[in-house]
Amino acid sequence: MVGEHAPTLRRRELAARLRALRHESGKTIEEVARELLCSPTKISRIETGRRGAVLRDVRDLCRLYDVSPAEQEQLMSLARASKERAWWQGYDIGATYRTLIGLESAATAISDYQPTAIPGLLQTPDYARALIEGAGERRTQEIDEQVKLRINRQRILDRPDPPYVSFILDEAATRRLVGGHEVMAEQLDALLAACERPHISLQVLDFEAGAHPGLPGSFGIVEIEESPASSIVFVEGHHGDFYLEGSVDLKRFRRIFDQLRSIALSPKNSVDFIAAVRDRIRPPEHS
């Protein structure tokens, strides 16, 4: 069940169904483009969800594929739903990040590995602000907007039907003093509180684990039970963020996450580990 408006999910569902209809018709993208007097690139972007399909596009494609009136109405409804304005569309963010947030809003399960920082879904406002400020030059208003965005993303954890989220943090993420001792201690307190929630699992990958398959960088897997074809892997990096949606990539990253989970501290031992780190860095006046 989709808990909040999910135009991203509806756009991708529409794209998958239009792609399947074209395959059933035996037509190539180039043939469809010639029939509709448009470019093959436009058809390709509609079928991958990278471009929203307007109602006229859906109507013309349905006629071309000889779709029944009932199915055409279903597809038109998906096209209308894909145009709804979601809360995150008011923020100045890239298309890839927008896709991630849209799919998170419909997720039934999320797996998130972070080697250097606390995951965005668990960040406190002060920690998020310090992290954003440390990443580069931004105006105060831009920083405020980014902090607000990260906190709003966390609303999916408070839904009546929240996704089950598995977090794996490298030890470095728990020890780096982002924002100073007090901010970091409060952030670790927030992690400990999150561990008490039944739909959240958190494990720490300590330094003693040695070399492991997560060393190249952070990634997240967003799973959507209602629409498995919309599940993605989200990968972050200095050269930009991107997502992967092929079955081969999904299997590979699920396997990597399972490997990391098997060598990380257990959830219980992770709580003890985080509490010990928190106690060591908490400012003296809070002792």
Side-chain angles (χ1 to χ4, degrees), residues 190-246:
L191 291 187
L192 293 172
C195 291
E196 297 178 359
R197 307 181 75 172
H199 57 285
I200 292 177
S201 169
L202 191 153
Q203 292 177 258
V204 174
L205 190 59
D206 64 349
F207 292 151
E208 292 185 9
H212 57 76
L215 287 176
S218 61
F219 66 90
I221 305 170
V222 180
E223 312 267 6
I224 302 173
E225 188 175 289
E226 177 185 330
S227 181
S230 290
S231 298
I232 66 164
V233 175
F234 182 76
V235 182
E236 300 176 85
H238 281 294
H239 298 293
D241 303 331
F242 61 94
Y243 60 82
L244 307 168
E245 51 190 328

Side-chain angles (χ1 to χ4, degrees), residues 48-66:
T48 57
R50 285 171 165 74
R51 170 181 178 146
V54 299
L55 294 178
R56 184 174 62 185
D57 292 332
V58 176
R59 181 201 63 193
D60 292 345
L61 289 168
C62 286
R63 288 175 179 173
L64 184 60
Y65 301 146
D66 196 22

Side-chain angles (χ1 to χ4, degrees), residues 26-227:
K27 297 180 183 295
T28 66
I29 286 179
E30 289 72 20
E31 289 171 338
V32 171
R34 282 197 297 270
E35 290 277 359
L36 299 188
L37 302 177
C38 66
S39 70
T41 300
K42 175 181 176 179
I43 302 302
S44 176
R45 290 177 65 84
I46 288 175
E47 289 190 0
T48 57
R50 285 171 165 74
R51 170 181 178 146
V54 299
L55 294 178
R56 184 174 62 185
D57 292 332
V58 176
R59 181 201 63 193
D60 292 345
L61 289 168
C62 286
R63 288 175 179 173
L64 184 60
Y65 301 146
D66 196 22
V67 172
S68 69
E71 185 171 7
Q72 177 173 329
E73 182 52 39
Q74 290 178 355
L75 295 173
M76 296 288 271
S77 294
L78 282 176
R80 294 186 191 98
S82 72
K83 298 298 183 182
E84 292 177 359
R85 185 173 176 81
W87 65 263
W88 57 86
Q89 291 176 331
Y91 292 89
D92 183 17
I93 54 177
T96 302
Y97 194 32
R98 188 175 289 114
T99 294
L100 170 67
I101 296 175
L103 295 178
E104 280 181 346
S105 74
T108 51
I110 299 172
S111 302
D112 192 348
Y113 165 67
Q114 292 291 335
T116 58
I118 304 302
L121 288 174
L122 296 178
Q123 292 175 9
T124 64
D126 288 340
Y127 179 95
R129 180 176 301 279
L131 199 65
I132 295 167
E133 288 175 344
E137 294 183 2
R138 286 179 182 267
R139 296 194 300 270
T140 301
Q141 183 177 354
E142 292 176 322
I143 294 173
D144 291 343
E145 286 292 296
Q146 289 300 310
V147 172
K148 185 179 178 181
L149 172 64
R150 293 195 188 190
I151 302 308
N152 281 337
R153 275 180 65 198
Q154 298 173 8
R155 292 186 303 187
I156 64 169
L157 302 178
D158 299 321
R159 293 187 330 213
D161 60 333
Y164 184 81
V165 189
S166 298
F167 295 102
I168 298 178
L169 282 65
D170 192 275
E171 179 176 343
T174 69
R175 293 189 180 277
R176 180 166 287 105
L177 291 178
V178 174
H181 287 77
E182 185 169 357
V183 168
M184 195 64 203
E186 291 177 353
Q187 175 61 75
L188 295 178
D189 280 336
L191 291 187
L192 293 172
C195 291
E196 297 178 359
R197 307 181 75 172
H199 57 285
I200 292 177
S201 169
L202 191 153
Q203 292 177 258
V204 174
L205 190 59
D206 64 349
F207 292 151
E208 292 185 9
H212 57 76
L215 287 176
S218 61
F219 66 90
I221 305 170
V222 180
E223 312 267 6
I224 302 173
E225 188 175 289
E226 177 185 330
S227 181

